[in-house]
Amino acid sequence: SGQELRSEFQNLGTLTENISLCFLVIMFPNGRIVGEKIFMTSGYEGNFDSLKQRCSQAGGQLASPRNAAENAAIQQIVVLYNKSVFLGINDIQTEGRFTYLNGENIVYSNWQTREPNNDKGIEDCVEVYSSGKWNDKSCGEKRLIVCEF
Ligand code: IPD
Ligand code: CA
């Protein structure tokens, strides 16, 4: 009947509102949405390998910004926590050729002036400063985790 249909639509509307509300709660304050991507930190800190493993265990991957908007979302998390993060970008395989975790050459970068400098010959990972700028850094250092989903 028309009345049943109307009440089904009302239920659907309520469901959508509830999902939207849940989403806002979940995203506060550790997540950022950019286009189709969600960036999220758990507050965990560790070296590159352990960050990479944690993100993949959660069904995501270490944050890998492909444009300025995505980088700005990651920067916001760095500022909020006052802690630099490691990206899912490195030149472990070939010195000077920075790639995503799947081996693809990066399509976007935001290096600080005079970086990457491979200081002491041991800097293959990429950290993001609170300025949003990038520095290559030793993968053994501990940084804040930010995953993308
Ligand atoms: C280093 C410098 C350098 C940068 C290195 C850092 P440190 O810090 O800031 O410019 O390229 O990645 O490790 O060794 O002076 O504390
Ligand atoms: Ca450096």
Side-chain angles (χ1 to χ4, degrees), residues 50-103:
S50 82
L51 301 181
K52 193 174 76 165
Q53 195 185 1
R54 287 219 173 199
C55 285
S56 110
Q57 218 153 42
Q61 66 165 356
L62 210 43
S64 308
R66 296 179 74 96
N67 56 56
E70 292 186 1
N71 196 68
I74 296 163
Q75 180 189 357
Q76 285 176 13
I77 296 174
V78 172
V79 170
L80 188 64
Y81 279 75
N82 194 26
K83 284 172 185 169
S84 295
V85 307
F86 269 146
L87 298 177
I89 292 173
N90 64 71
D91 72 340
I92 293 170
Q93 192 147 49
T94 308
E95 177 52 40
R97 186 172 68 87
F98 284 86
T99 70
Y100 300 113
L101 299 175
N102 66 5

Side-chain angles (χ1 to χ4, degrees), residues 9-149:
F9 276 122
Q10 275 165 359
N11 284 343
L12 269 181
T14 308
L15 182 61
T16 308
E17 284 164 26
N18 282 337
I19 290 171
S20 305
L21 189 57
C22 283
F23 202 66
L24 287 179
V25 171
I26 289 166
M27 295 305 286
F28 176 82
N30 303 320
R32 293 287 182 278
I33 306 170
V34 183
E36 319 246 278
K37 264 190 203 178
I38 296 175
F39 295 101
M40 183 88 79
T41 183
S42 66
Y44 175 78
E45 293 171 70
N47 64 27
F48 174 75
D49 280 338
S50 82
L51 301 181
K52 193 174 76 165
Q53 195 185 1
R54 287 219 173 199
C55 285
S56 110
Q57 218 153 42
Q61 66 165 356
L62 210 43
S64 308
R66 296 179 74 96
N67 56 56
E70 292 186 1
N71 196 68
I74 296 163
Q75 180 189 357
Q76 285 176 13
I77 296 174
V78 172
V79 170
L80 188 64
Y81 279 75
N82 194 26
K83 284 172 185 169
S84 295
V85 307
F86 269 146
L87 298 177
I89 292 173
N90 64 71
D91 72 340
I92 293 170
Q93 192 147 49
T94 308
E95 177 52 40
R97 186 172 68 87
F98 284 86
T99 70
Y100 300 113
L101 299 175
N102 66 5
E104 180 198 352
N105 287 345
I106 55 173
V107 298
Y108 164 84
S109 65
N110 195 34
W111 297 111
Q112 168 101 310
T113 316
R114 289 184 288 279
E115 304 293 350
N117 64 353
N118 194 29
D119 195 27
K120 302 185 179 79
I122 55 162
E123 297 188 324
D124 290 345
C125 282
V126 181
E127 66 176 340
V128 180
Y129 293 141
S130 56
S131 60
K133 291 291 175 182
W134 298 6
N135 172 42
D136 59 342
K137 194 75 183 174
S138 164
C139 301
E141 296 290 324
K142 290 188 173 165
R143 292 292 180 267
L144 178 68
I145 195 169
V146 176
C147 307
E148 65 178 35
F149 299 92

